Amino acid sequence: MSSRDELGWAAVKGTTGLVYLFLLFPLLAVVIISFQPSKYPTFPPEGLSLTWYEAFLDSDRMLSALTNSFIVALGASVCAGVVGTITALGFVRRSFPGKNVLSSVLFLPMIISPVVIGVALTAFLTRMGMQKSYLLLIAGHTTLVLPYIFVTVRAQLYGFDRAVEEAAMTLGANELETFFEVTLPLIAPGLAAGMLLAFVISFGEFTATQFWVQPATTTAPIEIYTMVRTSITPMINAMATVLMLITVAVPLALDVLLGKNLILKSGL
Amino acid sequence: MSYVQISGVTKTFGDVRAVKDVSFEAERGEFVSLLGPSGCGKTTTLRMIAGLETPTEGTIEIGGEDVTKQPAYERDIGMVFQHYALFPHKTVGENVGFPLKMRGVDKAERRERVADALEMVRLPGTMDRSPTELSGGQQQRVALARALVFEPNVLLMDEPLSALDRVLRQQMRIELERIQEEIGITTIYVTHDQTEAFSLSDRVIVLDQGELSQQGSPLEIYENPQSEFVGEFIGQSTKLSGTVTADDDGVTLRTDSGLSLESGESNLTHDTPALAFLRAEKLSISKTPTGAANELSATVTTVSYLGEKTLFFCTLATGEEITVAEHGFTNVGEYGSGDEVFITIPEEKLLLVEDASNGEPA
């Protein structure tokens, strides 16, 4: 490798490092500030305290927003998991007219701005006379995360050796038994990865969600936004830290628990 | 009525007719092979017997029951796939126990029968291992144990040895023969390998382009091919075309190139266009004329010494290429390319087949 190449490579590494620092430093700042007792952040920190975490745990609004986020993220990833798996199965294993066009349509929720999706779904459901509810939230989030599951499961199905399913059938398993005994366990890594991604995306979704919530179903990101706009309290930092922790910890914990180590191994 | 009865089965995929009006049967305990080159429809036929494909026409009966429309999981058939098709997420024991689990056999009995099955394929103590840790030959044994553990009515095998190397293939072939004889299960075996088909089978069914070409014992297929395809596909032979002359002296084939070959017995009548298949190992070669009937003079092109046999590639005086195989030949050194030699075809070993193309140019 010539010295010019080395110089170029060093520049790439340096720039990457700076970009990450720029992106991650504010997050780190939020975490540090959340442990400071003073109402206005100072630097260097004046001391450590869990004051704002106590306040956060005392706040019914905050806790209920966090619970709502959990319910919605769990509901959406499960719904999208079921629908996405069935859709991927259909697209990989069956041929039907307009398959290519339809598969592009399936990616629209990934491409179209969430604002548009948020407004459109609200307008549509209001016309239909439906109320804003958990159901609407879960349905909306399912739409948003469906492409991620479709992609991961489809990738898993492309490399699938169908002879194992045929073997199961000759050995006495009917279609349903074959699916649960053979197909599902074998596509599980892709499905799990997709569902984790879906959970994390739904948990932190703000843009479209703001159109779908009502006071009782407000999710954590919306609550933080509302608090920032109405009253500046450092409790927001505590909540933001908790939110970050959950978004990182849930997938990692599941990854280790399931023993697949998908995330840790893939370096995702 | 035979145990397995395939009647007039045709399978069409779109515009392609993969199997055309095939009928054959297998007696209880019989070992039948479907032999043919790739694309001859042998695997499709097997998959229809398994219930993995539905015939477009025709019926399949097993044990007197019409199973043509029955799904695979209701047929009670054990199948061994070409690439094993073991469940990678289950242990060896769970793989072999799978058909028992589907049949509601309780855990304790399952464990016992799985152990017995693994014993039979000589893989005891592998129950808790993952199939992915096993070698190709061992995986194939697990697949066989899994296909037999529930005592199915019929065992189907789709080129089960083709993914193994040569030495292992021979070992597994002997093993297969032992196991099949031990349990006496009706077996239908698909292969493109003549050696496998001949050494294992009671009866061989040769398929060509979706059609049944000939069926019979390995001996009948080899010694008495009934069609041009079987003559060419089985064994190594030189093909000569001509016309039969039958008179009081016997049957003679006059080849298009002007040779005259005497044949022992033949049911071909006078003036029939026919093909002669000269099996390489039935011919003999010598440096001096022996004066026998059917002696042809030729020139050696190449000598190929293979150890147990020697192949002589020669050109006849009339221009045709001919291959002679001599077994245990020790004076190879005396022959070299360009040598004049004499090739003898014993008249009782001249295989004559009616030329279905009727003398038209191919």
Side-chain angles (χ1 to χ4, degrees):
Chain A
M1 197 186 262
S2 73
S3 65
R4 221 186 119 193
D5 282 346
E6 271 169 46
L7 199 69
W9 185 233
V12 169
K13 284 201 278 191
T15 317
T16 312
L18 281 175
V19 168
Y20 272 98
L21 200 67
F22 180 74
L23 288 173
L24 295 177
F25 185 73
L27 298 182
L28 189 65
V30 166
V31 176
I32 293 170
I33 294 166
S34 74
F35 289 103
Q36 280 188 35
S38 62
K39 199 159 165 97
Y40 300 99
T42 53
F43 197 84
E46 285 168 355
L48 281 176
S49 120
L50 292 173
T51 321
W52 303 116
Y53 287 88
E54 278 166 32
F56 164 67
L57 288 176
D58 280 340
S59 160
D60 288 342
R61 274 182 69 186
M62 290 281 199
L63 284 181
S64 103
L66 209 57
T67 317
N68 286 342
S69 279
F70 250 114
I71 293 171
V72 172
L74 201 67
S77 46
V78 169
C79 286
V82 174
V83 178
T85 303
I86 295 171
T87 314
L89 275 168
F91 270 85
V92 174
R93 299 205 168 161
R94 299 287 155 128
S95 51
F96 46 85
K99 189 163 140 176
N100 289 336
V101 178
L102 266 178
S103 108
S104 310
V105 169
L106 278 175
F107 288 102
L108 285 181
M110 243 170 162
I111 300 157
I112 293 177
S113 162
V115 177
V116 178
I117 296 172
V119 173
L121 189 62
T122 316
F124 179 68
L125 291 179
T126 317
R127 292 265 165 84
M128 300 262 294
M130 275 179 78
Q131 299 298 310
K132 286 179 181 176
S133 61
Y134 282 119
L135 197 66
L136 165 66
L137 262 180
I138 291 173
H141 278 213
T142 301
T143 315
L144 291 175
V145 300
L146 195 60
Y148 298 92
I149 296 192
F150 177 65
V151 172
T152 52
V153 174
R154 191 176 63 167
Q156 200 87 39
L157 283 172
Y158 275 135
F160 196 97
D161 177 15
R162 295 205 67 187
V164 295
E165 289 176 328
E166 291 180 340
M169 303 263 260
T170 62
L171 295 169
N174 62 30
E175 286 88 350
L176 212 60
E177 286 166 332
T178 301
F179 179 77
F180 285 109
E181 285 279 347
V182 178
T183 319
L184 190 59
L186 289 178
I187 60 170
L191 180 59
M195 281 176 72
L196 287 179
L197 212 56
F199 183 92
V200 171
I201 289 168
S202 163
F203 200 78
E205 216 292 326
F206 173 80
T207 322
T209 314
Q210 61 182 322
F211 299 101
W212 298 336
V213 292
Q214 42 123 325
T217 61
T218 298
T219 61
I222 309 290
E223 188 61 40
I224 292 177
Y225 179 72
T226 315
M227 282 167 67
V228 172
R229 286 190 52 176
T230 52
S231 60
I232 303 217
T233 154
M235 197 162 75
I236 295 165
N237 295 320
M239 181 162 187
T241 306
V242 171
L243 206 64
M244 263 192 271
L245 193 72
I246 291 170
T247 349
V248 176
V250 166
L252 277 182
L254 278 176
D255 200 37
V256 173
L257 274 180
L258 293 173
K260 305 271 186 203
N261 287 332
L262 291 170
I263 299 171
L264 294 177
K265 268 188 200 154
S266 69
L268 199 83
Chain B
M1 175 101 183
S2 298
Y3 194 60
V4 178
Q5 185 108 28
I6 315 295
S7 317
V9 162
T10 294
K11 178 68 185 179
T12 317
F13 295 106
D15 297 334
V16 183
R17 280 178 58 178
V19 176
K20 297 165 201 162
D21 194 22
V22 164
S23 301
F24 65 92
E25 47 201 49
E27 303 295 335
R28 193 185 279 272
E30 198 179 14
F31 197 120
V32 175
S33 281
L34 300 177
L35 176 65
S38 57
C40 71
K42 56 191 192 300
T43 295
T44 307
T45 306
L46 196 76
R47 289 171 59 83
M48 286 191 281
I49 302 171
L52 298 171
E53 306 280 359
T54 314
T56 315
E57 275 168 54
T59 58
I60 294 167
E61 283 163 80
I62 297 171
E65 190 193 346
D66 185 345
V67 298
T68 317
K69 296 265 169 343
Q70 218 174 48
Y73 51 83
E74 284 174 11
R75 289 195 187 189
D76 225 24
I77 275 177
M79 180 153 172
V80 177
F81 291 77
Q82 191 171 3
H83 298 285
Y84 327 128
L86 295 176
F87 308 130
H89 59 295
K90 292 179 187 283
T91 63
V92 168
E94 285 167 347
N95 263 280
V96 179
F98 186 80
L100 300 175
K101 185 178 168 190
M102 290 301 112
R103 284 165 176 77
V105 176
D106 71 72
K107 244 183 173 159
E109 191 192 334
R110 218 151 73 198
R111 217 181 150 73
E112 210 169 291
R113 285 173 69 178
V114 167
D116 287 346
L118 286 172
E119 191 85 38
M120 178 184 68
V121 297
R122 305 209 171 137
L123 277 179
T126 52
M127 217 184 272
D128 297 321
R129 292 177 62 184
S130 161
T132 50
E133 296 168 22
L134 303 180
S135 71
Q138 289 174 319
Q139 291 189 29
Q140 195 57 285
R141 283 162 197 262
V142 174
L144 185 64
R146 187 178 68 175
L148 289 173
V149 70
F150 58 105
E151 293 166 13
N153 294 323
V154 181
L155 176 65
L156 305 179
M157 289 193 263
D158 185 8
E159 309 235 10
L161 308 183
S162 63
L164 304 176
D165 66 53
R166 199 176 58 86
V167 177
L168 210 53
R169 198 153 54 214
Q170 187 159 351
Q171 281 176 8
M172 270 306 281
R173 207 174 67 210
I174 294 163
E175 197 83 328
L176 267 182
E177 204 167 2
R178 172 184 70 82
I179 292 167
Q180 201 268 342
E181 261 167 32
E182 213 169 277
I183 56 177
I185 187 172
T186 311
T187 305
I188 300 176
Y189 188 98
V190 158
T191 183
H192 64 271
D193 185 314
Q194 182 196 318
T195 316
E196 269 174 38
F198 278 23
S199 63
L200 290 167
S201 320
D202 299 312
R203 201 146 46 84
V204 175
I205 292 165
V206 184
L207 294 176
D208 170 34
Q209 292 175 30
E211 282 175 275
L212 195 152
S213 205
Q214 188 177 348
Q215 60 171 314
S217 68
L219 193 75
E220 283 165 3
I221 298 277
Y222 194 78
E223 298 297 338
N224 198 9
Q226 300 289 313
S227 67
E228 180 179 355
F229 173 76
V230 177
E232 280 194 312
F233 183 68
I234 306 289
Q236 181 180 20
S237 38
T238 302
K239 181 173 78 173
L240 298 175
S241 65
T243 312
V244 167
T245 323
D247 52 32
D248 297 343
D249 296 340
V251 178
T252 307
L253 179 81
R254 299 202 184 280
T255 70
D256 301 340
S257 57
L259 292 172
S260 178
L261 302 172
E262 286 175 25
S263 166
E265 272 178 49
S266 177
N267 47 15
L268 296 179
T269 51
H270 189 69
D271 250 4
T272 316
L275 297 167
F277 288 96
L278 312 181
R279 287 269 151 77
E281 80 285 358
K282 304 214 159 163
L283 307 178
S284 53
I285 195 165
S286 71
K287 296 222 98 175
T288 48
T290 55
N294 291 346
E295 189 168 67
L296 310 172
S297 64
T299 313
V300 175
T301 315
T302 313
V303 180
S304 186
Y305 177 70
L306 301 176
E308 82 273 19
K309 67 179 172 187
T310 307
L311 296 178
F312 298 89
F313 299 96
C314 308
T315 311
L316 292 177
T318 44
E320 293 101 332
E321 310 251 315
I322 189 165
T323 308
V324 180
E326 289 280 9
H327 284 257
F329 207 68
T330 48
N331 13 342
V332 178
E334 294 173 18
Y335 292 82
S337 98
D339 287 1
E340 295 289 321
V341 291
F342 297 91
I343 295 169
T344 313
I345 311 158
E347 61 178 57
E348 72 280 9
K349 300 211 165 143
L350 183 72
L351 299 172
L352 287 183
V353 174
E354 187 174 340
D355 190 353
S357 66
N358 251 338
E360 289 162 29

